[in-house]
Amino acid sequence: MVKKFLKGFRKITALTMVSMLLVSGLSGCAGGSEVSADASSQSSTEQSTQKSEKEKTRYDKIKESGKLQVIMEPYFAPYEFIDSSKSGQEQYKGADVELAKYIADKMDVELEIVPLEWTAVLTGISTGKYDMAISGMGYTQERAEAMTLSSPYRATDSQHGFVVKADTVDSFTSLDSFTGKRIGFQKGTLQEMYATAQIKDLQPQPFDSVQNAILALQSGKVEAVAVSYDNGELFCDANADLSMAEPLFEGTKDQTVVACPKGAEALMAEVNAAIAEVNEQELYAQWWDDATASAKELGVSQ
């Protein structure tokens, strides 16, 4: 009897241990399942966050950072120029600077002006590196294809012509007078486009800035510099040896616009709303007159 009892007890004990192991094993599986669910949930959250970041517009990111980066070439008075008596952001002056301030205020963000050479302004926007360009930029179809352009904030029958040496001005009486001449211009500008299209047998002399083209004129390396008339007049006011030639390029009705990276539609909607207010109140004309007077007072020739 005792042997039978012990034998039965061993069977019960063995079955109990097997059951406990099974339960423990199942518990382990359940625990593993919970870890896997947590990891899956975390992965899903990360993916959702990444997707959300990608879906943020440039406007969203500007509002989130609280800063708007506006690039310009600050050597194109009265659009934008530098007051050398000041430093930092305070040194940037001009009608375009006032427009940039207006847009930043309307968006309730801090304005940061980033000075660049003109070609870098164009690539900085077309590649999406910066938020916005406000730099006396005229509308062209080529630019419209590479960037998102605003409605015009300055639409005028702007004049584009030539700065020449004052002692040669009488020899330039028509566009034909520039045939075969060495004419300087800033690369990537409307003046390059006009000179290339309207001057016969042009000997083009591209420069990275208008200032360098003017220096080349003064040193005799070029015979004329193609410029925006307003900008050219300031050079002539500051340099007695220079003069504006009488002939002007033909068909130069300009539309000056703000540029943002391609696809920045939400940001451009804010820009266009600001421009509409500026145009309605005729603010840009006031800024232009003030900037012109200030540039002359400072003796700014750029």
Side-chain angles (χ1 to χ4, degrees), residues 9-293:
F9 178 77
R10 291 192 190 102
K11 288 182 179 179
I12 292 171
T13 302
L15 287 171
T16 301
M17 290 178 68
V18 170
S19 298
M20 289 174 67
L21 288 170
L22 286 173
V23 171
S24 175
L26 288 171
S27 296
C29 289
S33 179
E34 287 175 6
V35 170
S36 177
D38 289 343
S40 177
S41 176
Q42 184 177 1
S43 175
S44 177
T45 302
E46 288 175 353
Q47 289 176 1
S48 178
T49 301
Q50 290 172 359
K51 183 179 179 181
S52 177
E53 285 295 324
K54 288 181 180 179
E55 289 177 349
K56 282 183 180 178
T57 66
R58 184 171 286 268
Y59 174 75
D60 293 332
K61 293 176 182 178
I62 291 169
K63 291 292 288 182
E64 190 175 87
S65 69
K67 181 180 290 186
L68 171 67
Q69 280 193 322
V70 173
I71 58 176
M72 60 178 60
E73 183 199 37
Y75 308 107
F76 192 46
Y79 287 98
E80 47 267 333
F81 54 95
I82 289 177
D83 180 350
S84 58
S85 69
K86 300 185 182 301
S87 61
Q89 291 290 301
E90 294 299 315
Q91 69 185 308
Y92 303 114
K93 304 294 181 182
D96 278 1
V97 175
E98 294 305 314
L99 177 61
K101 290 178 180 177
Y102 191 95
I103 293 171
D105 287 345
K106 185 174 176 62
M107 292 176 63
D108 194 26
V109 295
E110 176 189 353
L111 171 65
E112 180 187 3
I113 292 174
V114 180
L116 297 173
E117 292 184 353
W118 176 244
T119 52
V121 168
L122 296 176
T123 56
I125 292 301
S126 60
T127 60
K129 184 176 180 179
Y130 296 98
D131 298 324
M132 192 178 298
I134 306 179
S135 194
M137 185 182 295
Y139 176 92
T140 67
Q141 185 59 42
E142 182 182 18
R143 289 171 185 168
E145 291 172 359
M147 315 168 191
T148 300
L149 301 181
S150 72
S151 53
Y153 60 85
R154 187 170 188 259
T156 63
D157 290 324
S158 296
Q159 296 176 327
H160 299 264
F162 305 87
V163 174
V164 298
K165 294 290 292 293
D167 58 5
T168 67
V169 68
D170 291 338
S171 63
F172 295 104
T173 58
S174 67
L175 286 179
D176 286 340
S177 303
F178 294 95
T179 298
K181 301 297 185 185
R182 288 173 288 115
I183 296 178
F185 48 76
Q186 186 176 23
K187 292 183 290 186
T189 60
L190 293 176
Q191 291 78 43
E192 177 182 8
M193 181 177 71
Y194 294 142
T196 302
Q198 298 184 31
I199 303 301
K200 299 174 184 176
D201 300 323
L202 172 70
Q203 293 188 48
Q205 306 293 315
F207 292 87
D208 59 356
S209 69
V210 179
Q211 297 94 311
N212 286 339
I214 293 294
L215 290 173
L217 172 64
Q218 291 176 310
S219 64
K221 295 178 181 178
V222 299
E223 296 158 277
V225 176
V227 293
S228 162
Y229 201 92
D230 296 310
N231 188 225
E233 277 191 315
L234 290 174
F235 276 106
C236 295
D237 288 343
N239 297 275
D241 61 330
L242 302 178
S243 180
M244 289 299 299
E246 183 178 342
L248 299 173
F249 288 111
E250 299 171 352
T252 59
K253 186 168 184 176
D254 289 349
Q255 293 187 328
T256 312
V257 295
V258 174
C260 292
K262 200 69 176 175
E265 302 299 339
L267 176 57
M268 187 53 73
E270 289 291 317
V271 172
N272 281 331
I275 288 174
E277 293 177 2
V278 167
N279 289 343
E280 183 179 355
Q281 300 173 58
E282 299 182 350
L283 293 176
Y284 196 83
Q286 297 175 33
W287 297 334
W288 181 270
D289 291 343
D290 291 344
T292 300

